[in-house]
């Protein structure tokens, strides 16, 4: 049987041979005592690459965002974030459940940015006792549900100004920050210079098997570290997996350009096809979010038909579908996918 071409997500990536070797050879200790040299090395490397004082290894992107929100925002304060953000949609309201925080959502523009006037209006007047305090503002780069779109440095700088003027910290859900940096043609440090804290996933496009890193000031990381322990994220000999994270940061960032090129080739073919509805302006990195003519296809019919051709793709539970290109996908896989989409769409004359 032919192997499946799995375009559901970049989370399906398997570790590179270099990662497997680094994992086998990793020097280990008990990280709850702060004694795992490999975890410490990963945390220092992540902090250095993102130009922050300190880093923290976390089990997942969800845990990274949660510890960051808990570290920034006092109980009862508000998390200002987009209504299309991953934190709002897919993280089970963790900041409310665990931290007593309130989500204050703002409408998201189609390319993933939040209107500046809406952010400004969401920030509360701290002198008025009717209001909750504003605890943290969150952006997402690249933006998942908007199709892997990239926020410009200029836009981010404007949000920074607003956050500074209102003394509210600014957090980045940078699950796919490396994709954003590659698309912008800047290093990670430049891409996150405006943020107080960042959560970056090692297990998406960078292909490490598990985990992410959170970076920020020493004081912030101290609080995030306490929150991680409360959540059960003290992982003992975690160097076994952190070792792959080091390889991910050192070797896997630049190659993301290849995934972006594959996405571009795929979208160029898709826009020519009948029944496919897609705004090519949203395809800026490795994600392709699109719709099909609803009179002819439901998303689940299309997913099933593609699976019969050995190709997996995902959806958002509404009328949108998603292809994600990644480390496990070759140029030949893209050609096979294009041919399969053509064939499947032809089955409805
Ligand atoms: N995204 C996953 C699914 O949860 C949807 C995916 O396949 O795209 N922030 C962003 C922007 C994300 O896209 C994700 C994962 C996370 C955070 C959470 O990361 P994990 O899955 O490691 O908890």
């Amino acid at each position: 049987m032919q192997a499946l071409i799995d375009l559901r997500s970049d989370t399906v990536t398997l570790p590179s041979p270099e990662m497997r070797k680094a994992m086998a050879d990793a020097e280990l200790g008990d990280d709850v005592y702060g004694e795992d040299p490999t975890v410490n090395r990963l945390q220092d490397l992540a902090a250095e690459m993102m130009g922050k004082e300190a880093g923290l290894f976390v089990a997942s992107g969800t845990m990274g965002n949660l510890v960051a929100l808990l570290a920034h925002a006092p109980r009862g304060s508000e998390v200002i974030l987009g209504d299309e953000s991953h934190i709002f949609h897919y993280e089970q309201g963790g900041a409310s459940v665990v931290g007593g925080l309130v989500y204050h959502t703002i409408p998201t523009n189609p390319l993933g940015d939040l209107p500046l006037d809406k952010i400004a209006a969401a920030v509360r007047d701290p002198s008025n006792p009717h209001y909750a305090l504003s605890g943290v503002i969150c952006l997402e780069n690249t933006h998942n549900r908007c199709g892997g779109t990239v926020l410009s440095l200029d836009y981010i700088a404007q949000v920074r100004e607003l956050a500074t003027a209102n003394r509210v910290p600014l957090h980045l859900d940078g699950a796919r920050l490396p994709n954003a940096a590659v698309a912008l043609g800047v290093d990670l440090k430049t891409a996150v210079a405006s943020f107080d804290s960042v959560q970056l996933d090692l297990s998406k496009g960078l292909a490490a098997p598990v985990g992410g890193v959170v970076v920020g000031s020493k004081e912030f990381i101290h609080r995030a570290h306490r929150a991680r322990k409360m959540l059960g994220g003290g992982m003992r000999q975690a160097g076994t997996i952190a070792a792959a994270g080091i390889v991910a940061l050192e070797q896997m960032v630049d190659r993301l350009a290849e995934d972006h090129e594959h996405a571009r080739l795929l979208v160029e073919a898709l826009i020519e096809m009948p029944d496919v509805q897609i705004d090519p302006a949203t395809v800026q990195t490795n994600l392709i979010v699109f719709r099909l003519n609803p009179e002819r296809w439901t998303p689940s019919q299309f997913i099933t038909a593609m699976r019969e051709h050995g190709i997996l793709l995902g959806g958002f539970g509404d009328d949108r579908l998603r292809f994600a290109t990644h480390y496990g996908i070759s140029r030949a896989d893209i050609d096979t996918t294009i041919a399969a989409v053509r064939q499947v769409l032809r089955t409805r004359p």
Side-chain angles (χ1 to χ4, degrees):
M1 215 185 90
Q2 242 200 315
L4 289 171
I5 298 174
D6 193 345
L7 295 158
R8 286 172 301 170
S9 181
D10 46 13
T11 58
V12 303
T13 41
L14 297 175
S16 67
E18 291 80 4
M19 286 178 188
R20 289 182 190 268
K21 173 150 184 11
M23 291 169 79
D25 296 347
E27 239 188 294
L28 304 175
D30 188 332
D31 181 51
V32 175
Y33 291 104
E35 289 173 3
D36 188 304
T38 307
V39 170
N40 291 340
R41 204 146 59 81
L42 169 64
Q43 292 176 162
D44 291 348
L45 175 68
E48 189 203 312
M49 285 176 78
M50 287 186 265
K52 308 294 180 203
E53 283 175 7
L56 184 70
F57 184 45
V58 288
S60 65
T62 301
M63 183 185 276
N65 282 327
L66 182 52
V67 299
L69 301 188
L70 295 176
H72 278 308
R75 216 173 158 74
S77 67
E78 291 188 340
V79 179
I80 297 172
L81 79 179
D83 62 354
E84 283 291 314
S85 62
H86 191 280
I87 296 178
F88 182 59
H89 273 272
Y90 299 127
E91 300 184 13
Q92 286 202 26
S96 287
V97 179
V98 184
L101 302 177
V102 182
Y103 292 102
H104 188 148
T105 57
I106 293 176
T108 307
N109 283 331
L111 296 183
D113 55 308
L114 310 179
L116 289 167
D117 60 330
K118 292 279 194 306
I119 302 178
V123 176
R124 307 286 196 176
D125 171 3
S127 69
N128 185 329
H130 291 89
Y131 298 138
L133 294 171
S134 298
V136 59
I137 299 170
C138 301
L139 297 179
E140 185 175 313
N141 201 16
T142 66
H143 198 290
N144 185 348
R145 285 173 61 91
C146 289
T149 48
V150 180
L151 299 176
S152 74
L153 295 182
D154 183 47
Y155 167 75
I156 295 169
Q158 292 181 60
V159 180
R160 170 75 262 168
E161 241 175 72
L162 217 154
T164 305
N166 290 284
R167 297 170 187 238
V168 183
L170 183 60
H171 171 70
L172 176 68
D173 177 355
R176 295 186 179 83
L177 166 71
N179 297 85
V182 165
L184 288 166
V186 301
D187 59 14
L188 298 181
K189 193 184 287 189
T190 306
V192 301
S194 291
F195 291 93
D196 296 295
S197 62
V198 182
Q199 139 356 69
L200 177 155
D201 282 2
L202 300 162
S203 72
K204 294 200 164 58
L206 301 190
V210 183
V213 278
V214 177
V215 297
S217 70
K218 276 195 184 137
E219 212 195 337
F220 162 83
I221 289 296
H222 175 73
R223 294 195 300 273
H225 188 199
R226 287 188 56 80
R228 187 189 70 173
K229 189 74 179 76
M230 177 179 68
L231 298 172
M235 294 187 287
R236 307 296 177 183
Q237 286 73 36
T240 44
I241 46 178
I246 294 172
V247 177
L249 287 176
E250 286 180 340
Q251 298 181 9
M252 302 297 276
V253 174
D254 292 344
R255 66 150 304 284
L256 294 171
E258 189 183 315
D259 301 341
H260 300 177
E261 174 62 8
H262 287 162
R264 195 184 61 77
L265 292 170
L266 186 47
V267 81
E268 273 177 10
L270 287 173
I271 48 178
E272 300 294 329
M273 296 188 198
D275 293 337
V276 175
Q277 301 165 355
I278 184 165
D279 177 359
T282 64
V283 185
Q284 300 175 3
T285 55
N286 71 320
L287 304 182
I288 299 175
V289 174
F290 65 102
R291 292 179 170 81
L292 291 173
N293 179 350
E295 282 169 19
R296 288 150 73 82
W297 289 97
T298 65
S300 65
Q301 284 168 342
F302 184 73
I303 289 171
T304 307
M306 287 295 288
R307 182 179 260 277
E308 282 160 16
H309 285 74
I311 292 160
L312 306 183
L313 73 157
F316 287 136
D318 52 18
D319 59 344
R320 289 178 293 176
L321 291 155
R322 187 183 77 172
F323 284 119
T325 59
H326 54 76
Y327 176 57
I329 298 297
S330 65
R331 171 68 206 266
D333 293 333
I334 296 296
D335 294 340
T336 307
T337 302
I338 292 169
V341 176
R342 258 196 208 112
Q343 230 179 318
V344 164
L345 291 178
R346 255 192 240 126
T347 58
R348 302 262 163 105

